[in-house]
Amino acid sequence: MIFSFSLPALDLKDVNSKLSDIFNFGEDSNEGTTVFRSLNIPSGGRAESLGTAITGLCDDINFFDYNPAGSSILENSEIAFFHNAWIADSAMETLAGTLRFNNLGLGFQFKCFYVPFTEYNLFGDRLAGNYYSETSLAFNMAYNFFAGYDFRGLSLGYTVRTSWRNMPDYADNQTDKIQSGSGLEQSALAVMADLGLLMRFDFLKNFDSLDPNLTFGLALNNLGLAVTGFSTDFEFDDSLPSRISAGFSWRIFKNLLVTGEFRQPVNLMNFSSSQKFSLAAGTEITFTDSFDFEAGFMLSGGNPRFSIGSQFDLKGIKMNVNYTLDLTSSFNPVNHISLSARLLMGDRGRTKIRTLAFEKYAEGIGLYSKGDRQSIQQAIEKWIHAKQLYESIGIKFDPAIEAITTAQNLLTVHDQIRTFSSLETGM
């Protein structure tokens, strides 16, 4: 995209006006009242394929821009790269990584939105060429509390993020010479935080899986402030694109997932200037273990955005290709494509521990079914071992706990019967 400005004086409001086609999400009188609007651009990949209805899902590294609680429930540690060719010549590049230690999740994300920036004078001569960019660095931490086999826990998380808006230097009105430091005056630094929670459990589940099939999520995103005027006097910039999001995901069948989300932007500096709410929904169909198809829809203001994509394995790397038809960015349809590559780094042995625990649990059931006292005692030992294995990965193994209690009660009954029989014999 090439920006052409008529002098005199380049102003950030002029730039925001030029960027409106990129960031506008529907007809809204309050659109343009926030800064760092690249925070509203999805990184791409599976999240965008699902219409960005991710707040109540977050089962892969796409959680970063939606719900910070997600890092504590990811099955695998991940490293991922995203490229989103947005509108015209603008693009978003993202690098992210996560690491999970039982119920503790950690992560980082680096993302950069950039667009070519060219300035001309009144005669059409090219004066300056550079890039307008918004770059963010984020760190995440989350923990899954009360994790168990039946109730999968309450995940709470936060992400702290710092963002830098780089405005290129522009020319002097009289001499057409580049003014050193002129862009710095309108550049800005933002510091913000995301807060989120997730609850997961089984609901009307008709298939075998260790993963819960229903998840609810709530998130507060981009809560913070921005400052500008670095070459003159510091001052607060306009409000960041803060928002409140609530969503769910429900795996109705083993190969069918649906997601939904409600999103309300909030202008922290002037609540009356908050933008309109948006709605999003997505669906994912799993054809094989290595191929999924996704489709998504978002309605913001009066305009929709449609997305389709597919996720597939390529030599151990999860790839996603996404196509979006975006009617929220201008009166004419705008098409863009995103690509993502996710490298799964393993689960630090949690799957092996769960498998071994189930083997011990099944052995205990076999012993318990024999019914004699010695076999029941041996079954309890197996179940205690299974419970301890689950505890080593931070999960309460409810089936083993219930089985131990039942078996111990049965042994008590055995002892009472033996005592009663001895009394009768003595009499």
Side-chain angles (χ1 to χ4, degrees):
M1 179 177 286
I2 298 177
F3 298 115
S4 177
F5 297 97
S6 297
L7 303 177
L10 179 66
D11 189 271
L12 181 58
K13 292 183 179 179
D14 297 328
V15 178
N16 281 338
S17 176
K18 296 294 182 179
L19 290 172
S20 62
D21 280 347
I22 295 177
F23 296 104
N24 182 30
F25 286 84
E27 299 177 9
D28 191 336
S29 61
N30 291 321
E31 182 63 44
T33 59
T34 59
V35 292
F36 286 94
R37 281 177 283 168
S38 64
L39 295 170
N40 287 330
I41 294 181
S43 296
R46 181 172 176 243
E48 189 168 5
S49 298
L50 289 169
T52 69
I54 300 296
T55 298
L57 180 60
C58 296
D59 60 352
D60 61 33
I61 204 168
N62 286 273
F63 77 89
F64 247 108
D65 296 326
Y66 304 96
N67 193 330
S71 63
S72 65
I73 65 169
L74 300 192
E75 187 63 30
N76 294 283
S77 299
E78 299 185 26
I79 294 177
F81 172 76
F82 300 84
H83 169 73
N84 195 348
W86 194 242
I87 298 171
D89 295 327
S90 64
M92 175 80 80
E93 312 292 351
T94 305
L95 175 67
T98 64
L99 184 63
R100 180 180 157 196
F101 300 92
N102 294 338
N103 290 313
L104 174 66
L106 303 172
F108 78 92
Q109 182 196 59
F110 175 82
K111 61 192 300 187
C112 180
F113 169 81
Y114 58 93
V115 59
F117 182 102
T118 304
E119 183 184 359
Y120 295 87
N121 64 13
L122 294 175
F123 302 101
D125 298 324
R126 184 177 184 272
L127 301 179
N130 211 317
Y131 281 89
Y132 172 93
S133 64
E134 296 182 3
T135 305
S136 299
L137 180 63
F139 295 94
N140 168 266
M141 179 179 291
Y143 195 86
N144 187 24
F145 296 89
F146 317 118
Y149 183 85
D150 296 331
F151 176 66
R152 304 310 169 92
L154 173 64
S155 299
L156 301 175
Y158 69 90
T159 297
V160 292
R161 189 188 313 270
T162 181
S163 298
W164 173 254
R165 179 180 70 218
N166 181 61
M167 176 67 70
D169 290 341
Y170 51 87
D172 180 83
N173 294 336
Q174 304 299 323
T175 65
D176 286 351
K177 292 184 177 180
I178 302 298
Q179 302 181 66
S180 178
S182 56
L184 185 61
E185 181 180 352
Q186 298 184 60
S187 298
L189 177 68
V191 178
M192 68 204 81
D194 299 343
L195 304 173
L197 66 84
L198 286 168
M199 288 192 302
R200 304 179 302 146
F201 44 87
D202 290 328
F203 177 72
L204 299 179
K205 192 173 183 180
N206 55 16
F207 57 90
D208 293 329
S209 173
L210 293 178
D211 297 321
N213 71 326
L214 182 64
T215 304
F216 286 101
L218 177 68
L220 307 176
N221 298 95
N222 307 325
L223 305 177
L225 295 169
V227 294
T228 187
F230 286 92
S231 63
T232 54
D233 296 324
F234 286 108
E235 62 180 2
F236 285 116
D237 208 342
D238 292 334
S239 177
L240 296 173
S242 306
R243 66 178 186 264
I244 301 173
S245 304
F248 76 93
S249 65
W250 183 24
R251 189 167 291 280
I252 302 175
F253 304 106
K254 191 170 185 177
N255 63 341
L256 177 62
L257 172 75
V258 296
T259 66
E261 184 164 327
F262 171 86
R263 196 175 296 163
Q264 175 60 64
V266 179
N267 189 318
L268 296 179
M269 293 185 171
N270 185 357
F271 288 102
S272 63
S273 296
S274 299
Q275 297 169 224
K276 297 177 182 177
F277 69 87
S278 63
L279 300 172
T283 184
E284 179 178 77
I285 301 174
T286 303
F287 289 98
T288 69
D289 292 339
S290 59
F291 180 77
D292 302 327
F293 173 81
E294 298 93 21
F297 170 81
M298 189 184 82
L299 182 66
S300 182
N303 298 325
R305 188 170 74 198
F306 304 94
S307 300
I308 59 172
S310 63
Q311 182 171 256
F312 53 92
D313 288 342
L314 182 62
K315 295 184 178 180
I317 299 176
K318 287 280 188 181
M319 303 290 296
N320 183 282
V321 180
N322 161 268
Y323 170 82
T324 296
L325 174 64
D326 194 346
L327 300 176
T328 66
S329 56
S330 70
F331 291 105
N332 297 315
V334 177
N335 309 309
H336 58 272
I337 294 174
S338 71
L339 303 172
S340 72
R342 296 165 41 225
L343 178 61
L344 306 185
M345 307 294 289
D347 64 357
R348 299 176 59 85
R350 289 187 293 271
T351 297
K352 291 182 179 179
I353 291 175
R354 285 198 299 264
T355 301
L356 180 58
F358 268 99
E359 290 176 358
K360 298 299 180 182
Y361 179 72
E363 290 173 6
I365 291 176
L367 290 167
Y368 181 79
S369 64
K370 295 180 180 180
D372 62 276
R373 182 180 181 83
Q374 183 179 358
S375 296
I376 294 174
Q377 289 175 330
Q378 292 174 346
I380 292 175
E381 292 174 1
K382 296 289 186 181
W383 291 330
I384 290 175
H385 190 186
K387 180 174 75 75
Q388 291 172 341
L389 286 169
Y390 255 79
E391 288 174 347
S392 71
I393 56 174
I395 301 175
K396 185 175 68 171
F397 194 18
D398 300 292
I401 294 172
E402 293 170 2
I404 291 169
T405 301
T406 299
Q408 288 175 338
N409 290 337
L410 183 58
L411 287 180
T412 301
V413 172
H414 272 246
D415 291 338
Q416 290 174 344
I417 293 174
R418 178 179 296 180
T419 301
F420 183 75
S421 299
S422 298
L423 290 175
E424 283 190 336
T425 304
M427 292 175 62

